[in-house]
């Protein structure tokens, strides 16, 4: 069966690459070796990977691009873990140190709701003064103020920290948080799920095994999570392929991932790069961004079918192009975001819903505002968007989160 009639005489696409892409179009599972072959493609072969990912995206989720109206609330930038890829963390006594009260977090959640947000994403550093009840109190305060908002909160690292503070098993702690109103969890702190790479990034403070344990615990008590990767530093394609396979294996077991979000390493202000500029890459290349989203689509199809393109990491223009290279979601409008900005990101802190709609439509897709679990909130017809052209560069800086 020749699924590439236009390439049948194209000697620039090897038989091995063609065979892997045909498997993808048939919905067959790719292995780690297949993914490594695709990551190594260049030129016409690389374009064939992107084109195939676009076809698979259409097959799996249709010609729709989605976004969510959300607010990121980073409740503290104080963290004692010392991850070398992060420039967000401050010492407790630093003049720029922040630690919001639960009422301040609730204030921001209420403001987000009034501006149309359906979700708040709440994360923060591992502050030494966080007590065993702080995470619970955050959820209670937000739900008391805004009962109907979805709380997407606490990375696996924060859950690990909360378990340590409360001397609880993850299933117990997460069940308590869910009962209070936790709706879902960000699957961040994954970085690269490889021990040797994690030792260089975080001294393996949250091991691969611990990350997987907490994610599975969340899924087991009915708390869905996202899944992520942070790439473009000391990692290689074999690590990316193994990471994707591990996420796929978890999803086969639990079914608890809502999406996959590739996050490119932002190097500018990080110790990891500044201390080792000859050993650490300055983030992924644009080619690697495109291949990561495309190959993730091919490897994860049928298991994790929502692939998000992060405009915060790549910029709105590049993220929009990802919608025709495997991705189907542009993430959130955010309102505030501190972590990427602290590392040197230059793409602002907010885009507006009309910007999201314009960019999705510019990619030739139907724009849909979604909720956290990918249910449709509003579908936009072309004439409903007041923007006349993509507004990918119109970004509002809303202050420091």
């Amino acid at each position: 069966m020749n699924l590439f009639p236009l390439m049948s005489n194209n000697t620039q696409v090897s038989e091995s690459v063609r065979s892997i892409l045909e498997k993808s179009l048939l919905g067959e599972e790719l292995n780690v070796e297949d993914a490594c072959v695709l990551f190594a493609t260049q030129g016409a072969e690389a374009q064939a990977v992107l084109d195939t990912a676009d076809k698979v995206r259409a097959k799996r989720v249709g010609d729709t691009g989605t976004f969510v109206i959300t607010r990121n609330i980073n409740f503290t930038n104080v963290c004692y873990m010392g991850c070398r890829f992060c420039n967000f963390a401050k010492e407790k006594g630093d003049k720029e140190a922040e630690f919001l009260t639960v009422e301040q977090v609730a204030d921001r959640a209420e403001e987000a709701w009034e501006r149309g947000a359906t979700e708040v994403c709440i994360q923060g550093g591992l502050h030494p003064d966080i007590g065993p009840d702080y995470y619970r109190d955050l959820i209670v305060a937000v739900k008391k103020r805004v009962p109907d908002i979805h709380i997407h909160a606490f990375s696996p690292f924060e859950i690990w920290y909360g378990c340590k503070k409360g001397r609880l098993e993850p299933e117990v702690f997460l069940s308590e948080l869910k009962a209070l109103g936790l709706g879902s969890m960000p699957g961040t702190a994954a970085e690269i799920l490889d021990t040797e790479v994690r030792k260089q990034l975080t001294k393996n403070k949250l091991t691969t095994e611990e990350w997987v344990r907490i994610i599975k615990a969340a899924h087991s008590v009915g708390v869905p999570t996202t899944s992520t990767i942070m790439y473009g530093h000391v990692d290689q394609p074999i690590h990316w392929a193994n990471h994707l396979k591990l996420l796929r294996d978890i999803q086969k077991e639990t079914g608890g991932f809502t999406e996959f979000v590739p996050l490119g390493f932002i190097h500018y202000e990080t110790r990891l790069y500044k201390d080792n500029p000859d050993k650490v890459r300055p983030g992924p290349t644009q080619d690697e961004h495109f291949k990561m989203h495309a190959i993730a689509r091919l490897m994860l199809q049928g298991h994790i079918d929502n692939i998000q393109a992060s405009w915060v990491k790549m910029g709105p223009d590049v993220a929009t192009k990802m919608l025709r290279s495997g991705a189907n979601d542009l993430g959130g409008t955010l309102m505030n975001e501190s972590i990427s900005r602290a590392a040197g990101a230059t793409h602002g802190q907010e885009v507006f819903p009309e910007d999201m709609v314009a960019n999705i439509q510019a990619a030739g897709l139907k724009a849909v505002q979604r909720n956290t679990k990918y249910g449709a909130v509003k579908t936009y017809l072309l004439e409903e968007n007041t923007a006349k052209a993509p507004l990918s560069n119109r970004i509002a800086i809303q202050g420091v989160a």
Side-chain angles (χ1 to χ4, degrees):
M1 181 179 181
N2 184 7
L3 298 174
F4 289 95
L6 297 178
M7 295 199 304
S8 59
N9 297 318
N10 189 344
T11 58
Q12 292 179 290
V13 179
S14 67
E15 186 58 40
S16 61
V17 170
R18 189 191 311 276
S19 174
I20 294 168
L21 297 183
E22 288 182 348
K23 282 170 57 178
S24 296
L25 287 172
L26 291 169
E28 297 178 14
E29 193 168 279
L30 303 189
N31 58 36
V32 168
E33 292 73 21
D34 293 333
C36 288
V37 169
L38 298 185
F39 277 121
T41 56
Q42 299 294 327
E45 288 190 327
Q47 187 59 51
V49 174
L50 306 189
D51 292 343
T52 303
D54 190 45
K55 290 183 174 71
V56 173
R57 184 266 314 151
K59 178 182 177 182
R60 298 301 314 178
V61 298
D63 286 324
T64 296
T66 54
F67 69 96
V68 63
I69 301 179
T70 185
R71 182 175 193 168
N72 273 18
I73 305 175
N74 302 130
F75 56 84
T76 183
N77 58 358
V78 174
C79 186
Y80 77 96
M81 297 308 289
C83 298
R84 299 174 67 223
F85 62 86
C86 175
N87 200 53
F88 172 71
K90 304 295 181 185
E91 297 286 337
K92 181 178 174 181
D94 193 291
K95 64 180 181 180
E96 296 181 359
E98 282 190 310
F99 190 16
L100 302 182
T101 67
V102 295
E103 289 306 317
Q104 287 174 312
V105 172
D107 288 342
R108 296 188 183 199
E110 185 173 16
E111 181 186 7
W113 178 259
E114 290 171 351
R115 291 181 59 189
T118 59
E119 144 191 314
V120 283
C121 179
I122 304 173
Q123 296 185 88
L126 306 188
H127 195 299
D129 292 345
I130 285 177
D133 294 324
Y134 182 77
Y135 297 118
R136 297 183 187 88
D137 292 344
L138 275 181
I139 294 175
V140 170
V142 171
K143 278 295 183 180
K144 182 178 179 181
R145 193 79 64 83
V146 197
D148 293 329
I149 204 161
H150 182 100
I151 299 179
H152 180 66
F154 312 139
S155 74
F157 219 160
E158 291 170 273
I159 296 299
W160 172 86
Y161 195 50
C163 289
K164 181 179 177 183
K165 289 279 186 174
R167 298 182 180 180
L168 297 171
E169 290 298 310
E171 290 83 358
V172 175
F173 186 43
L174 284 158
S175 292
E176 292 179 358
L177 295 177
K178 180 186 177 186
L180 294 172
L182 178 66
S184 58
M185 258 176 64
T188 48
E191 326 320 347
I192 297 289
L193 296 172
D194 175 271
T195 298
E196 293 308 311
V197 173
R198 293 180 79 79
K199 284 180 179 177
Q200 296 178 67
L201 299 178
T202 67
K203 298 181 181 178
N204 212 26
K205 290 173 180 174
L206 180 72
T207 67
T208 295
E209 292 74 21
E210 287 168 332
W211 187 92
V212 172
R213 164 92 167 89
I214 290 167
I215 287 292
K216 287 184 176 181
H219 296 176
S220 75
V221 301
V223 176
T225 75
T226 65
S227 58
T228 64
I229 188 172
M230 187 188 71
Y231 60 105
H233 36 82
V234 297
D235 47 341
Q236 299 296 327
I238 183 64
H239 302 125
W240 307 340
N242 281 324
H243 185 107
L244 290 169
K245 181 181 182 300
L246 178 55
L247 295 179
R248 186 174 66 191
D249 288 345
I250 294 170
Q251 185 73 336
K252 287 180 180 180
E253 179 181 337
T254 71
F257 288 131
T258 58
E259 64 193 357
F260 175 64
V261 190
L263 301 169
F265 172 53
I266 304 292
H267 73 287
Y268 301 101
E269 302 295 335
T270 64
R271 286 190 297 117
L272 181 67
Y273 180 76
K274 284 185 171 182
D275 293 349
N276 305 276
D278 56 331
K279 297 179 181 178
V280 179
R281 292 190 297 132
T285 65
Q286 185 161 295
D287 177 67
E288 288 169 338
H289 278 312
F290 277 96
K291 281 194 255 187
M292 178 62 75
H293 290 75
I295 295 167
R297 168 64 67 188
L298 303 183
M299 276 200 80
L300 299 176
Q301 66 165 310
H303 301 290
I304 307 174
D305 279 325
N306 294 307
I307 308 295
Q308 185 182 121
S310 172
W311 65 264
V312 176
K313 300 292 186 182
M314 298 181 291
D317 288 328
V318 175
T320 297
K321 293 174 183 175
M322 294 294 165
L323 294 177
R324 300 313 298 259
S325 302
N328 67 297
D329 184 73
L330 288 183
T333 52
L334 294 188
M335 298 189 194
N336 295 100
E337 199 279 339
S338 301
I339 296 172
S340 294
R341 178 171 45 80
T346 58
H347 299 298
Q349 294 186 69
E350 178 173 15
V351 295
F352 297 97
E354 57 264 34
D355 300 339
M356 292 288 202
V357 172
N359 284 319
I360 291 166
Q361 291 177 345
L365 303 179
K366 180 169 63 178
V368 175
Q369 179 194 338
R370 63 169 175 88
N371 60 24
T372 309
K373 297 181 181 179
Y374 281 81
V377 174
K378 179 178 180 179
T379 299
Y380 292 81
L381 300 176
L382 189 60
E383 58 269 22
E384 287 185 291
N385 183 24
T386 58
K388 295 181 180 179
L391 300 175
S392 56
N393 293 318
R394 197 188 81 180
I395 299 172
I397 303 299
Q398 295 294 320
V400 177

